[in-house]
Amino acid sequence: MLEERASFGSKLGMILATAGGAVGLGNVWRFPYMAGQNGGAAFILIYIGCVLLLGIPCMVSEFIIGRHGASNTYRAYSKMSHGNAWKFVGLLGVLTGYLITGYYAVVSGWCLQYIYASVAGQLHGDPSFVKSYFQSFSTDPIRPIIWLVAILLITHFVIIHGVRGGIERASKLLMPTLFVLLLVIVVASCMLPGADKGIDFLFKPDFGKVDRGLFLGALGQSFYSLSIAMGCICTYASYYTRQTNLLQSAVQISVIDSLVAILAGLMIFPAAFSVGVNPDSGPSLIFITLPNVFNQAFASMPILGWVISLLFYALLSLAALTSLMSLHEVSTAFFYEELHITRDKGAVIVTVTTIIIGAFCSLSLGQFDGLRIGDKSLFDVFDFVTGQIFLPLGGFLTCLFLGWFVPKRLVKDEFTNWGTVSGRFFGVFLFLVRFVCPLAILSIFLHQFNVI
């Protein structure tokens, strides 16, 4: 029997839960790297502009669809489109979130392993040892899968306790803890000798690097950072009340997400430059470069270095967990509502199947050459298809759907909470969703394939 639709119990819980869904590993490594290599403060300023012009309008669009539909992402699009072909945009969002859950849990599990490694003192050694440690672990056929199962079971435990008792309660604990850990590491990093070079690297504008590629990079970062088009925002919005100010909520969530990203830069660059290390991107930054940075930066105070390393991987695990919660909920809501089963059974379907997907993705990074497609591992294929095809396509179609197909009166009623909040920005919002956002997303999509 279909369960009664839940809702968030407080505005704070709603904001923290949705922000937690947006804040993830990409905030910690991708944003600092993009900013550092693309003009520092110049990139940050352009990124903020992109959040305002692209991120927030797309987020509000998903809010409107999710709250109006008051159901899983597929059914919400189906309701607003009266069952025509636009409903498949919602199905694409569910599929995207589901596939991301599987391979994202692999990297999330790595974070748990590194908490254990930090506690056990296994990350101390020369740079070659730390590099070989990561390569040995990530290609192991057993250990990564154990941690993958562990973090998905933790996520499952949160999800089966529902929206208020699970997601909202966990977010109220995890998000403040994440901020505290982040601030502690930022302070420790910025107090290191020579840390000012890292701060300058991040915040000193270099407008000589501003070009078309930088603009498109900032557009892409704003789009991916806010978890647009993977069903999370739309699903969480289905638990919003009719009193929720959608524009205000989108602004608040975007501020939290951007603040975490900028603080992550302040956490990484001062420490890296203090020991003369130029940070790389991707897993190598999180699991190879930074352990060496912490070892060198706090060489005279090894206990402090041990604590900072432990706190850092705890921070990463919390960021990964809050994202996994939102991703898992997308598919859980879909299964239990569409199959007319209980939430618990829907969560079991998602947990078991994503463990299987994650296991195959993890094995593809090792010696299992049969789990490759062309020159890409199964893990890389999932990352490419979801991140570079499904997400831009979903965002593009959502803007067209809400901007041109959904009746303007319905969109305005949701935007203004049926006339109870100001609608002075509605005209700007509609213009951005109809014209600016689709063109910007299309530019990102074509640029990554070197079409423009």
Side-chain angles (χ1 to χ4, degrees):
M1 182 178 179
L2 192 63
E3 298 174 4
E4 183 180 351
R5 193 78 186 162
S7 65
F8 288 112
S10 67
K11 180 179 179 180
L12 176 63
M14 178 269 292
I15 293 293
L16 291 178
T18 312
V23 171
L25 298 180
N27 296 72
V28 177
W29 65 262
R30 193 173 190 271
F31 180 89
Y33 169 77
M34 293 286 289
Q37 297 299 316
N38 291 280
F43 176 88
I44 293 175
L45 290 173
I46 294 171
Y47 168 80
I48 292 173
C50 291
V51 168
L52 293 172
L53 295 177
L54 174 66
I56 292 176
C58 285
M59 183 178 288
V60 172
S61 297
E62 290 202 47
F63 281 169
I64 290 173
I65 296 169
R67 185 172 69 174
H68 183 82
S71 53
N72 69 78
T73 299
Y74 168 69
R75 187 177 294 186
Y77 277 82
S78 185
K79 284 182 179 179
M80 293 195 78
S81 65
H82 304 293
N84 68 21
W86 285 107
K87 67 183 179 182
F88 292 109
V89 179
L91 189 61
L92 176 63
V94 174
L95 177 63
T96 303
Y98 176 70
L99 295 178
I100 291 175
T101 306
Y103 82 84
Y104 188 82
V106 175
V107 183
S108 303
W110 293 351
C111 297
L112 292 184
Q113 162 68 24
Y114 268 62
I115 291 179
Y116 167 77
S118 297
V119 172
Q122 296 178 354
L123 299 180
H124 293 291
D126 58 40
S128 61
F129 169 78
V130 175
K131 183 176 182 179
S132 65
Y133 180 91
F134 173 71
Q135 291 174 337
S136 173
F137 165 72
S138 62
T139 57
D140 188 277
I142 302 298
R143 287 188 296 161
I145 296 178
I146 293 174
W147 291 113
L148 155 76
V149 172
I151 198 159
L152 279 174
L153 288 179
I154 295 171
T155 306
H156 178 88
F157 178 79
V158 173
I159 295 299
I160 62 174
H161 282 81
V163 176
R164 294 191 184 186
I167 296 172
E168 183 172 356
R169 179 177 293 179
S171 298
K172 285 182 175 180
L173 172 64
L174 297 177
M175 288 302 290
T177 304
L178 187 151
F179 265 102
V180 170
L181 292 178
L182 187 56
L183 290 173
V184 169
I185 303 174
V186 165
V187 171
S189 180
C190 290
M191 291 180 66
L192 292 169
D196 57 312
K197 295 179 181 178
I199 297 173
D200 288 342
F201 185 69
L202 183 63
F203 289 119
K204 187 176 181 180
D206 182 1
F207 293 105
K209 293 186 177 181
V210 176
D211 57 16
R212 185 182 63 177
L214 187 151
F215 272 94
L216 291 172
L219 279 170
Q221 178 63 26
S222 67
F223 187 73
Y224 301 129
S225 179
L226 294 172
S227 298
I228 292 166
M230 58 183 70
C232 304
I233 294 172
C234 188
T235 301
Y236 275 8
S238 71
Y239 305 126
Y240 288 4
T241 67
R242 291 171 65 93
Q243 288 72 44
T244 302
N245 187 320
L246 300 184
L247 178 60
Q248 183 184 78
S249 299
V251 171
Q252 292 169 337
I253 292 162
S254 299
V255 168
I256 292 173
D257 185 76
S258 299
L259 182 60
V260 169
I262 293 171
L263 286 174
L266 278 173
M267 171 180 66
I268 292 171
F269 285 117
F273 275 77
S274 175
V275 295
V277 174
N278 185 29
D280 301 311
S281 66
S284 61
L285 171 63
I286 297 176
F287 300 107
I288 299 175
T289 306
L290 286 179
N292 288 318
V293 167
F294 295 142
N295 288 340
Q296 295 178 53
F298 300 97
S300 60
M301 299 174 288
I303 297 298
L304 181 58
W306 175 82
V307 171
I308 294 299
S309 178
L310 176 60
L311 293 179
F312 175 74
Y313 289 108
L315 164 69
L316 282 181
S317 298
L318 291 180
L321 181 58
T322 56
S323 291
L324 274 177
M325 284 160 44
S326 65
L327 289 165
H328 196 295
E329 178 64 17
V330 172
S331 302
T332 298
F334 172 78
F335 281 118
Y336 88 76
E337 290 182 1
E338 296 307 313
L339 299 180
H340 303 284
I341 56 179
T342 64
R343 163 178 280 273
D344 287 5
K345 290 181 179 178
V348 168
I349 292 173
V350 177
T351 300
V352 172
T353 55
T354 53
I355 284 175
I356 295 171
I357 292 172
F360 279 108
C361 287
S362 179
L363 291 171
S364 75
L365 297 173
Q367 304 303 314
F368 289 78
D369 291 333
L371 296 175
R372 300 182 71 86
I373 299 177
D375 62 343
K376 292 181 180 291
S377 67
L378 189 63
F379 180 96
D380 292 331
V381 169
F382 272 60
D383 183 41
F384 174 80
V385 171
T386 56
Q388 294 183 259
I389 298 178
F390 287 179
L391 287 182
L393 180 62
F396 177 74
L397 293 175
T398 293
C399 290
L400 294 183
F401 173 59
L402 193 83
W404 296 100
F405 179 83
V406 177
K408 181 179 176 181
R409 169 51 58 186
L410 188 156
V411 176
K412 187 172 184 179
D413 285 344
E414 286 284 349
F415 186 90
T416 63
N417 283 8
W418 300 271
T420 61
V421 300
S422 173
R424 64 179 180 275
F425 292 112
F426 177 73
V428 176
F429 162 75
L430 195 62
F431 175 79
L432 292 174
V433 169
R434 282 183 169 179
F435 301 104
V436 177
C437 294
L439 290 175
I441 295 170
L442 185 62
S443 297
I444 297 169
F445 184 78
L446 295 177
H447 178 72
Q448 68 186 354
F449 295 108
N450 298 315
V451 177
I452 61 171

